[in-house]
Amino acid sequence: MWKKFKQLVTFPHSANDSSDFHFRPFAFKLQQETLQVMKAKTDEITNLLLLEEKVYNGVTPWSAAIFQVELIKKDSLYLVVYHGSRLVAMIGMRKMNTEAHVTNIMVDPEWQHQGLGTYLMKLMIDYAQKANCSFISLEVRIDNENAKKLYQALGFTVKLVRPNYYQDVHKDGLNMVLDLTTQKKGIDFG
């Protein structure tokens, strides 16, 4: 699977990265297209809301205010992926002691099923390992089969069900966890 990704620059961090998530932008190739990954900034909130509307069929579960707060937290890392000037994906993670938590992941529907979500999840797993986290967790809607398959393929297991976690649609959420102490360090882009 990783053979379809061709990184254009050196991997964006070193083994010395600390928990405040130092990040250097980089570019990589996916399906012959060059994508740029960079840290999200507050001036991109409008683009994030537009992406959110596309991903969630016109709904924006996170408001501009939520993005504003999340993007400036020191213990968080929010990344955006651009194809030219078009925002095509984002992922966010927060570190709490020895646990990292993926707070949000969105991939433009036109870019789904091409490995971009997997790439971003592996990138965050790698960052969590570099930040000396023991676990990485996330919540997923109980009926989101594609996302559950992705997370399970990466080694996440269901720890508990959160009743009515997604209150807007009256759906339970699954808390899924990956034990990073048993994972090989670093992403294999081979």
Side-chain angles (χ1 to χ4, degrees):
M1 158 92 122
W2 289 104
K3 292 188 189 314
K4 65 178 155 183
F5 294 100
K6 180 180 177 192
Q7 222 168 338
L8 301 178
V9 293
T10 313
F11 195 67
H13 59 278
S14 69
N16 296 337
D17 275 354
S18 65
S19 62
D20 62 353
F21 301 118
H22 296 290
F23 186 84
R24 289 188 310 232
F26 68 99
F28 68 99
K29 286 232 182 229
L30 172 63
Q31 305 291 338
Q32 306 300 321
E33 299 292 335
T34 301
L35 299 175
Q36 300 171 355
V37 180
M38 59 197 74
K39 202 168 186 178
K41 296 178 278 200
T42 55
D43 63 359
E44 294 171 298
I45 291 175
T46 299
N47 287 340
L48 289 167
L49 291 170
L50 291 172
L51 176 62
E52 191 177 38
E53 283 180 1
K54 286 176 90 173
V55 171
Y56 295 103
N57 300 314
V59 178
T60 53
W62 279 27
S63 67
I66 292 171
F67 278 114
Q68 177 75 33
V69 169
E70 287 296 316
L71 294 180
I72 62 172
K73 288 182 178 176
K74 183 177 175 149
D75 61 350
S76 294
L77 176 63
Y78 282 83
L79 302 177
V80 289
V81 180
Y82 280 90
H83 178 244
S85 62
R86 181 176 166 209
L87 178 65
V88 297
M90 71 80 62
I91 190 166
M93 180 175 68
R94 187 178 315 122
K95 182 179 185 290
M96 302 161 285
N97 299 318
T98 62
E99 181 181 344
H101 182 78
V102 175
T103 58
N104 200 333
I105 181 171
M106 297 186 292
V107 177
D108 186 308
E110 294 177 28
W111 286 84
Q112 291 178 6
H113 308 292
Q114 298 181 46
L116 185 52
T118 300
Y119 183 90
L120 292 174
M121 284 298 299
K122 286 191 172 194
L123 186 62
M124 285 304 192
I125 291 167
D126 191 57
Y127 263 86
Q129 288 175 314
K130 298 286 196 268
N132 296 314
C133 291
S134 300
F135 296 92
I136 186 168
S137 65
L138 54 83
E139 267 72 38
V140 62
R141 211 166 84 178
I142 200 161
D143 62 346
N144 188 341
E145 295 302 323
N146 287 335
K148 289 189 316 190
K149 285 179 189 173
L150 164 65
Y151 305 142
Q152 288 168 341
L154 292 171
F156 284 81
T157 57
V158 175
K159 289 299 175 193
L160 57 100
V161 176
R162 296 188 189 280
N164 204 31
Y165 183 80
Y166 296 92
Q167 295 175 357
D168 55 334
V169 289
H170 307 290
K171 296 284 183 180
D172 294 345
L174 299 177
N175 174 259
M176 299 184 78
V177 176
L178 175 64
D179 182 349
L180 296 175
T181 62
T182 61
Q183 300 293 307
K184 178 181 162 191
K185 294 226 180 213
I187 298 174
D188 177 16
F189 288 93

